[in-house]
Structure formats: structure tokens, C-alpha cells
Amino acid sequence: MSVPTPGMVVIIGSGPAAWTAAIYAARANLEPVVYEGEPSRDMIPGGQLMWTTDIENFPGFPESVDGQELMQRMKEQAVRFGTRVVGENIASADLSTYPFKLQPSWSDGITARSVIIATGARANWIGLPNELRLAQNGGGVSACAVCDGALPFFRDKVLAVVGGGDSAMEEATYLTKFAREVVIVHRRDQFRASRVMADRALTNPKIRVEWNTQVAEVLGDEFVTGLQLRDTITGRERELEVGGLFVAIGHTPNTDFLHGQLDLHPNGYIKVFAGRTCSSVPGVFAAGDVIDDYYRQAITSAGTGCMAALEAERWLSHHGVEEAVSPVLETAETQPALTAD
Ligand code: NAP
């Protein structure tokens, strides 16, 4: 199979990191091609901000901005400077040869002189059989209150939110617009969430908390009717009647398609050099949530997207754009040390 060359820099992803990298790369005449991904049950082109309504902390929007609108505007800005966009996932990559080879999910393979990975992270599920079945069947289990909470199905019902982080607080607070009552189910006796988010949830009269509690099973055949709860201290089980379940228990980085070709942290996030965006493979850079299990903010993602494009540009100009340098020949002396686990 012939391997067409689409551009110098291929950017994988479509969140704030990817679009910011594309804006910088396009303005630097690096002819970026963005593989923005395909919609699936728990992922959507544009990334996690597509599931957020009011973003109040992205600088420049004093009245807040809708997540979908922000992503659309970033994409338009990247396209305006010549970025090409492909609505496919990258299914696999060969980063051991140069130019790098990337295999989109259904079209012919492509090559790239530099790659920026900005594939983000996806929502985690508890892993209960009924949870996943009902989530897939539209039976009232969701990992995204902002996408699904306003559906008529959930109106005036008692809804449960699992988790104790900022996401759980945000989802619970959001759901009070539609629900009769929101019950946060958390496995410990204190939240992981920031003080301000936790206080907002705890002072909301429509929200109550089931502390030291985990969901043992989701009840219901076609639709959620309740939860089997287990006390994490006593082990005692009981049922809670609910009309919907929202799971907000963190995220997993989208790095499976790399099949270990880059150094990853034990939790699957891509390792980058301290304070930089270069990965363990010279010429391959990573940005956004796929390198960040700590800040995970739109603004920090955008910042590292900018860094990745600048690093790609400098790396390409250092090595000569046309002069294919084998990244495997580049020695450790030319790169700083990777961050510790
Ligand atoms: P998170 O901070 O990792 O919290 C995950 C929560 O889920 C924890 O409370 C954890 O319990 C619980 N959990 C994990 N696995 C579980 C399981 N199998 N069963 C039951 N509970 C489980 O994730 P997050 O809330 O998605 O937040 C991620 C990052 O995004 C954070 O940095 C956060 O500040 C940020 N964020 C910010 C905003 C905002 O500022 N507007 C909104 C959302 C998220 P334990 O506490 O016991 O570990």
C-alpha cells in the first residue's frame, strides 16, 4: 500500500491542545493535518469540552462560553490559517521509522515529519454489567450530565451521581436544574473536589450525599429503577430508588492506539520531558490531557498545544524539513531527561 504524505505535521486529537497546536503550526507554514477523531459512545470530536455548557474560567470570556462554541471557534481559527481536518481516528502508529507512519481507521496510511498527540482522556465507568448495558441502550446511565441531563427522561426524578471529585460536584449541581433530588454517592467520608465546588454542591438544597458508599449494581431491565448500594465500612447493602445514574469517577488517557511505542506513565499518560512536550521519540510531541493527570484544564491544554507546535517547528527546522533524520539515531545527549513517574 502506498503511503501518501499529507503534510509535515500531523496532529491527532481535537480538543483545546490540538486546535491550539494547529493554529500555531499552520501560522508557521507547517501544513498541519488534524485527525479530529470519530464520534463514539464516550468520545466525541472536540473532546470533553463538547460536554460542558458554561466555561467560566477560560480567559477572555467574562460572561462564560459554551464548550461546543469554544471548540468550534478554535477549529475555525485553525482552518482559517490552512489547517486540514480529517474526521477519522488514528488507529495505529509506527514511530520506529521516519517519516513516521500513521494508520487512520479506514483510509490509507499516511506519513508525518512530526506528530503532535493531543488525544485527551475519556470518562471512566465503574464496570458493573448493568451499568454498561444501560449506558449503551440509553437506559438512564450516563457519564455526562451536561450532554444527557436535560433529556425529558431525567426530569423531576431522583438522580444519582457517583464520585467525589470536581466532576461529580459539577454534574450534581448541574442536574439540580432538572431533577427532583440529586444524591451523590461517594466511597469515602470526604470529597476530593476543590473546596469551592464541594461547598456549592453541599449547600444546594436539592443535593444530599451518601458517604462511605459504593454502587454494587445498577437495578432495572430497560431503564434504571434503582441502585444496589454497599456501605464501604460495614459492607451492608441496601437499595436506593433512582431514575438515573451519572458516573463521574475520573478519566483514562487515550493512548491505546500507540501500543507502547512511546514511554508512558504507569497510568497510561504519555511521558514528556520536564516542562516540555517532547515525548521519548524525537519528533513526536504530546499535549493536553493525554500528558496531564493533574491540571486537566482547557487553558493548560491550550498552553501545552502551543508548546508542542513551537517544539515541532524548532525540531523540524533544526533537523531540516526535507532531510529525513532517523529519530532512532538521535541520542539521549540531544534531549533532556524524561520526567520521573
Ligand atoms: P478525580 O478528581 O480523579 O475524582 C474522581 C472521583 O471518583 C474521586 O472522588 C474518586 O474517589 C472517585 N472514584 C474513582 N474511581 C471510583 C470507583 N471505581 N468507584 C467509585 N468512585 C470512584 O476526577 P474528576 O472529578 O473527573 O476531576 C479531574 C480533574 O478535572 C481535576 O483536576 C478537577 O479539578 C478537574 N475538573 C475541574 C472542573 C472545574 O473546575 N470546573 C470540573 C471538573 C473537573 P476517591 O476520592 O476516593 O479517590
Side-chain angles (χ1 to χ4, degrees):
M1 184 176 67
S2 68
V3 182
T5 303
M8 289 182 203
V9 175
V10 171
I11 298 166
I12 313 172
S14 51
W19 295 126
T20 305
I23 292 164
Y24 273 78
R27 291 187 78 250
N29 293 329
L30 295 179
E31 301 167 21
V33 180
V34 172
Y35 278 76
E36 66 170 352
E38 302 154 38
S40 67
R41 184 171 62 92
D42 50 7
M43 280 191 282
I44 177 171
Q48 294 182 66
L49 287 187
M50 298 295 280
W51 294 343
T52 299
T53 47
D54 289 343
I55 301 170
E56 296 174 332
N57 51 13
F58 200 88
F61 296 92
E63 309 300 331
S64 86
V65 59
D66 177 87
Q68 294 192 9
E69 186 192 340
L70 183 61
M71 286 305 91
Q72 185 57 33
R73 290 174 71 127
M74 285 189 188
K75 179 176 175 176
E76 283 169 14
Q77 196 171 348
V79 169
R80 183 183 146 215
F81 291 111
T83 299
R84 283 178 288 163
V85 182
V86 182
E88 273 187 82
N89 290 328
I90 293 295
S92 62
D94 181 354
L95 305 178
S96 65
T97 58
Y98 194 82
F100 304 114
K101 290 182 183 166
L102 303 171
Q103 182 56 57
S105 42
W106 38 271
S107 58
D108 285 350
I110 56 164
T111 61
R113 297 194 176 276
S114 180
V115 176
I116 296 174
I117 302 168
T119 44
R122 63 185 181 278
N124 291 340
W125 297 93
I126 306 169
L128 303 167
N130 244 3
E131 171 202 28
L132 298 176
R133 187 180 61 79
L134 288 167
Q136 269 161 350
N137 298 350
V141 175
S142 167
C144 177
V146 177
C147 343
D148 301 328
L151 294 172
F153 180 84
F154 293 114
R155 300 240 167 190
D156 299 319
K157 292 189 175 162
V158 178
L159 303 177
V161 173
V162 181
D166 280 338
S167 297
M169 303 304 116
E170 192 172 63
E171 303 235 324
T173 305
Y174 179 77
L175 288 169
T176 58
K177 293 184 195 178
F178 318 105
R180 188 164 80 237
E181 182 185 37
V182 176
V183 183
I184 298 176
V185 179
H186 183 42
R187 62 186 179 181
R188 291 190 294 132
D189 63 357
Q190 64 184 62
F191 286 142
R192 177 181 297 276
S194 59
R195 182 72 186 269
V196 61
M197 303 277 284
D199 284 351
R200 198 177 294 170
L202 288 169
T203 55
N204 189 313
K206 278 188 162 185
I207 295 178
R208 71 179 176 87
V209 185
E210 292 279 0
W211 300 104
N212 298 314
T213 304
Q214 60 190 170
V215 178
E217 188 49 288
V218 184
L219 308 174
D221 293 330
E222 211 179 332
F223 300 106
V224 180
T225 56
L227 302 176
Q228 185 76 23
L229 298 182
R230 183 183 299 131
D231 188 302
T232 53
I233 295 169
T234 65
R236 205 175 307 136
E237 295 204 0
R238 67 204 154 84
E239 285 186 18
L240 173 72
E241 213 174 293
V242 299
L245 170 64
F246 290 83
V247 180
I249 59 168
H251 296 84
T252 299
N254 296 314
T255 49
D256 290 352
F257 73 102
L258 293 167
H259 300 295
Q261 300 219 22
L262 288 176
D263 287 357
L264 304 178
H265 288 284
N267 61 2
Y269 287 79
I270 295 175
K271 272 190 184 179
V272 286
F273 294 94
R276 304 273 298 274
T277 61
C278 14
S279 75
S280 57
V281 176
V284 178
F285 303 89
D289 281 7
V290 78
I291 62 168
D292 174 20
D293 65 351
Y294 185 72
Y295 298 108
R296 302 184 206 178
Q297 301 299 301
I299 189 66
T300 51
S301 288
T304 54
C306 159
M307 290 161 63
L310 292 177
E311 295 210 63
E313 183 191 0
R314 285 168 197 173
W315 188 83
L316 285 166
S317 64
H318 179 71
H319 290 294
V321 166
E322 297 308 329
E323 204 46 46
V325 63
S326 170
V328 290
L329 295 179
E330 194 160 13
T331 60
E333 291 93 69
T334 63
Q335 303 235 36
L338 272 178
T339 51
D341 285 342

